[in-house]
């Protein structure tokens, strides 16, 4: 096991022990896919403490883990909030992508672990962060590349946007993970299979290394370096036993 994995596991043990001994809910920072996979493996490692994860919206890629003592099942909230970045309309305004927004945030000197997902929108973007960092972003995040922006807090849950998802249709001979990923990212199974074998593919935040893993409707698949999609449904089945499928690619 890598040194950072050992450190992470020890940190999780400490948080669970604290939750149990003090009867309080303890939290991690935002976790990446690999860390969420480890959390799933460690869910039952400390009796008397349950584990939940959330990233601000359903199927968020980066999430915070909460460790809840059995004696405390309500009356707590995740320490996160959602902020909205609104682009200015001046002559310096230009199209901005996920990397542009993340780069501007990191340029403020913050750690990646205080930031959750970034959701692109026509007028800018929304992102999730640790609630203790919100004021810093509101005050300091005023420019992304050469584009002036302003950053505001979203106060009402119903104003938090849904991620944009693009529908993609395709036909596969089976519901194998490698076959469906090839449809999602318009590639060949041969070229994409090493991503699975190399531990870069996660299904519902759990690492999967088998090309033949059978997907089910509703599964959310994340591929490092490629993106994320939901296997929405099987829409048809041909006489030659091929499946017509509908995927939704997160933008």
């Amino acid at each position: 096991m890598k040194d950072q994995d050992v450190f992470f596991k020890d940190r999780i043990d400490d948080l669970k022990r604290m939750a149990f001994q003090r009867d309080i809910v303890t939290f991690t920072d935002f976790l990446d896919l690999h860390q969420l996979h480890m959390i799933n493996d460690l869910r039952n490692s400390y009796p008397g403490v349950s584990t939940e994860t959330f990233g601000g919206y359903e199927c968020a890629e980066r999430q915070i883990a909460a460790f809840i003592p059995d004696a405390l099942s309500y009356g707590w909230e995740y320490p996160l909030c959602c902020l909205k970045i609104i682009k200015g309309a001046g002559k310096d305004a230009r199209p901005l992508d996920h990397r542009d927004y993340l780069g501007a945030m990191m340029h403020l000197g913050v750690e990646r672990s205080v930031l959750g997902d970034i959701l692109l929108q026509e007028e800018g973007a929304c992102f999730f962060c640790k609630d203790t960092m919100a004021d810093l972003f509101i005050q300091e995040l005023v420019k992304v590349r050469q584009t002036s922006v302003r950053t505001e807090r979203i106060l009402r849950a119903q104003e938090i946007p849904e991620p944009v998802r693009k529908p993609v249709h395709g036909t596969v001979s089976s519901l194998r993970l490698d076959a469906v990923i090839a449809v999602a990212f318009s590639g060949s199974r041969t070229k994409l299979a090493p991503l699975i074998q190399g531990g870069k593919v996660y299904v519902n935040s759990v690492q999967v290394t088998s090309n033949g893993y059978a997907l089910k409707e509703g599964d959310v698949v994340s591929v490092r370096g490629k993106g994320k999609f939901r296997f929405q449904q099987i829409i048809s089945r041909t006489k030659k036993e091929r499946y017509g499928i509908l995927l939704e690619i997160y933008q």
Side-chain angles (χ1 to χ4, degrees):
M1 185 181 291
K2 298 178 182 179
D3 289 344
Q4 57 264 38
D5 288 352
V6 174
F7 177 82
F8 180 74
K9 182 179 182 300
D10 289 343
R11 176 59 178 158
I12 297 308
D13 287 342
D14 288 342
L15 289 172
K16 288 188 175 184
R17 185 179 302 108
M18 185 185 303
F20 179 78
Q21 292 176 347
R22 300 185 184 179
D23 274 340
I24 60 172
V25 182
T26 59
F27 303 95
T28 65
D29 289 337
F30 282 97
L31 307 177
D32 62 25
L33 288 168
H34 177 65
Q35 292 167 330
L36 287 170
H37 172 71
M38 291 184 66
I39 286 287
N40 285 322
D41 283 346
L42 297 170
R43 276 186 181 273
N44 300 316
S45 63
Y46 204 105
V49 177
S50 59
T51 302
E52 295 182 9
T53 61
F54 185 57
Y57 67 100
E58 183 184 7
C59 298
E61 184 158 309
R62 296 180 65 85
Q63 300 184 36
I64 289 174
F67 305 112
I68 309 114
D70 291 347
L72 183 64
S73 58
Y74 63 92
W76 59 273
E77 296 180 351
Y78 283 91
L80 59 78
C81 65
C82 185
L83 302 182
K84 185 175 186 177
I85 304 173
I86 302 169
K87 294 192 298 184
K91 62 180 181 179
D92 293 329
R94 62 180 62 190
L96 299 172
D97 59 21
H98 183 281
R99 182 176 296 181
D100 295 326
Y101 289 111
L102 179 59
M105 296 174 202
M106 300 298 291
H107 187 68
L108 298 178
V110 303
E111 297 290 336
R112 184 66 178 95
S113 58
V114 306
L115 293 167
D117 286 4
I118 300 171
L119 306 178
L120 300 182
Q121 297 183 294
E122 287 187 9
E123 69 276 18
C126 289
F127 69 98
F128 298 89
C129 68
K130 297 290 291 292
D131 53 9
T132 55
M133 303 298 295
D135 288 345
L136 181 146
F137 288 119
I138 291 170
Q139 295 169 13
E140 302 294 335
L141 187 56
V142 296
K143 185 164 287 191
V144 179
R145 294 181 68 184
Q146 283 75 43
T147 300
S148 295
V149 302
R150 73 177 190 273
T151 305
E152 302 176 350
R153 188 189 299 264
I154 294 180
L155 298 175
R156 296 189 296 177
Q158 57 266 37
E159 294 178 357
I160 297 175
E162 289 289 327
V164 177
R165 294 182 290 200
K166 174 186 175 183
V168 170
H169 296 81
T171 304
V172 293
S173 58
S174 73
L175 302 180
R176 287 170 53 106
L177 181 59
D178 56 357
V180 178
I181 286 179
V183 171
F185 301 114
S186 302
S188 70
R189 291 168 64 173
T190 301
K191 290 184 178 180
L192 292 170
L195 295 176
I196 303 172
Q197 299 161 0
K200 295 185 178 182
V201 177
Y202 296 79
V203 180
N204 304 323
S205 300
V206 177
Q207 188 180 66
V208 175
T209 56
S210 169
N211 295 337
Y213 180 89
L215 290 174
K216 305 182 297 298
E217 292 180 346
D219 282 346
V220 176
V221 181
S222 299
V223 183
R224 283 188 171 182
K226 290 289 185 180
K228 178 172 70 171
F229 67 90
R230 179 194 290 270
F231 178 22
Q232 190 67 10
Q233 67 181 117
I234 301 169
I235 55 179
S236 65
R237 192 166 182 178
T238 69
K239 293 180 180 179
K240 294 184 178 180
E241 297 298 311
R242 292 181 64 83
Y243 297 88
I245 58 175
L246 170 63
L247 311 177
E248 290 185 340
I249 312 297
Y250 287 77
Q251 301 297 292

